[in-house]
Amino acid sequence: MEEIFIFTLLVILLALAFDILVYLTAGSFLAVESFGIFAIIIYLIPALLNGVIIATGVMENIKFRFLKYILPTLTLFAYFVFGKMVTYSSEWEKFVANNSYSSESFSIQISKDLLSIDQILFILILNFLVVIAVKKVMTYFKRSGNQW
């Protein structure tokens, strides 16, 4: 039991470290990133990492199955720290200015506040949906007798 707890803690800490590394990378390249690359880095990569950790079965052997839902929560925490660090920087202002577009027919606006409630909800929902989707797919494969 103690070995499983230590292993679980190690996986969770590694996932958090990876999330922080992803967000630090995103923040470091704000001056040269397009919005598309930025969105992939801060939204998709952490969510997919959580899905991969769960899909590989790392969290499957853990007695406390609810712990798999800690991964999206940690991703949200890392995003929150990232948002606090970046939102008030001059680099973020330049990024918003460089990636916003407006014409008579349409406009693209990037929120100046990464910590607005809609941003937080988006991160939370995206990460939990990835976890739920991976669990559903894994359950399907187990029931059908196919190997994952």
Side-chain angles (χ1 to χ4, degrees):
M1 178 72 168
E2 187 175 314
E3 292 170 356
I4 292 174
F5 176 76
I6 291 171
F7 179 73
T8 304
L9 187 60
L10 181 62
V11 168
I12 289 170
L13 289 175
L14 286 173
L16 178 61
F18 187 80
D19 283 344
I20 291 170
L21 180 65
V22 165
Y23 289 126
L24 286 175
T25 302
S28 299
F29 295 107
L30 277 176
V32 294
E33 288 177 355
S34 69
F35 177 73
I37 292 171
F38 180 75
I40 289 170
I41 292 172
I42 70 165
Y43 298 129
L44 290 181
I45 290 177
L48 292 176
L49 170 71
N50 293 340
V52 167
I53 289 172
I54 291 166
T56 58
V58 169
M59 304 296 271
E60 200 62 30
N61 295 327
I62 299 168
K63 300 280 186 220
F64 309 105
R65 299 208 187 272
F66 70 89
L67 283 177
K68 69 181 132 282
Y69 297 109
I70 219 164
L71 295 177
T73 307
L74 290 175
T75 298
L76 179 64
F77 173 75
Y79 176 83
F80 185 79
V81 171
F82 167 74
K84 277 288 199 195
M85 290 173 33
V86 170
T87 298
Y88 302 107
S89 72
S90 61
E91 289 296 317
W92 178 247
E93 290 176 12
K94 289 178 195 172
F95 177 80
V96 170
N98 290 340
N99 289 286
S100 295
Y101 176 78
S102 185
S103 72
E104 290 181 17
S105 56
F106 78 89
S107 69
I108 298 173
Q109 293 281 1
I110 297 175
S111 174
K112 292 184 179 182
D113 184 11
L114 286 171
L115 299 176
S116 64
I117 191 69
D118 56 337
Q119 292 286 358
I120 299 294
L121 286 174
F122 178 75
I123 291 286
L124 198 60
I125 291 169
L126 174 68
N127 281 279
F128 276 103
L129 284 177
V130 167
V131 169
I132 291 167
V134 167
K135 289 304 292 174
K136 292 282 186 194
V137 169
M138 289 175 66
T139 301
Y140 169 77
F141 277 100
K142 283 182 183 176
R143 285 187 183 154
S144 65
N146 296 328
Q147 292 293 320
W148 174 250

